Amino acid sequence: MKPKFHLKNREITNNDLGELKMRATCEIVADLKDGKEVPYEELKIACLVQSSIIFFYQQDTKNLLKGGIAADLVEQMNYTDDKTSSKKLGYPSWYWNAIKKDPIEWLGASHIPGTSEYDQHYKLSKSLYEKFANKNDDK
């Protein structure tokens, strides 16, 4: 059986996610860099945020390297808000939100293992992957 998501030693249900508050990911990472102890639950969620950040950067980089309309869309979507983005520093708005917002809120229930939304999302994704993989194996 899959482990459920716990925070502060209690199991979290989907209804709790909107009510929970957690320190921003950048605060959790700053404490780690300062050698402070970080609760396991915070570390787990911060790792999930960092994993998402890597994925989004990879997607943006791929589209920027393609050039053309794909690159234009990345720039228009991610670098138009001067308060949350910087072309010069390479910080898209989604990155600012990812590190500054409550990580539980930013990830959403469908991206937190142990919630029923995650289980449903994972089951659907796995089913699509297997269907695609099997279709390619037949060729």
Side-chain angles (χ1 to χ4, degrees), residues 81-93:
D81 185 350
D82 291 337
K83 292 180 183 176
T84 62
S85 68
S86 170
K87 277 187 186 180
K88 183 179 177 182
L89 297 174
Y91 291 162
S93 290

Side-chain angles (χ1 to χ4, degrees), residues 26-107:
C26 61
E27 294 171 357
I28 297 167
V29 171
D31 278 356
L32 286 169
K33 288 180 177 182
D34 289 342
K36 296 178 182 174
E37 287 292 320
V38 174
Y40 173 76
E41 294 85 1
E42 285 188 340
L43 184 59
K44 179 179 173 181
I45 293 295
C47 284
L48 292 171
V49 170
Q50 295 295 334
S51 175
S52 294
I53 287 171
I54 292 167
F55 173 78
F56 287 135
Y57 265 121
Q58 185 268 330
Q59 294 299 309
D60 283 357
T61 301
K62 179 176 69 175
N63 287 322
L64 288 168
L65 291 173
K66 280 183 188 175
I69 194 165
D72 292 343
L73 285 172
V74 168
E75 282 192 52
Q76 289 173 11
M77 289 180 2
N78 298 332
Y79 296 96
T80 55
D81 185 350
D82 291 337
K83 292 180 183 176
T84 62
S85 68
S86 170
K87 277 187 186 180
K88 183 179 177 182
L89 297 174
Y91 291 162
S93 290
W94 61 257
Y95 174 80
W96 189 91
N97 288 323
I99 64 169
K100 297 288 186 176
K101 277 191 174 180
D102 178 326
I104 292 174
E105 178 186 336
W106 188 80
L107 284 169

Side-chain angles (χ1 to χ4, degrees), residues 111-131:
H111 298 284
I112 299 174
T115 64
S116 64
E117 285 95 337
Y118 176 87
D119 292 341
Q120 291 169 351
H121 185 257
Y122 180 79
K123 184 179 177 182
L124 176 64
S125 297
K126 186 175 178 182
S127 172
L128 290 172
Y129 171 77
E130 288 172 351
K131 185 176 182 179

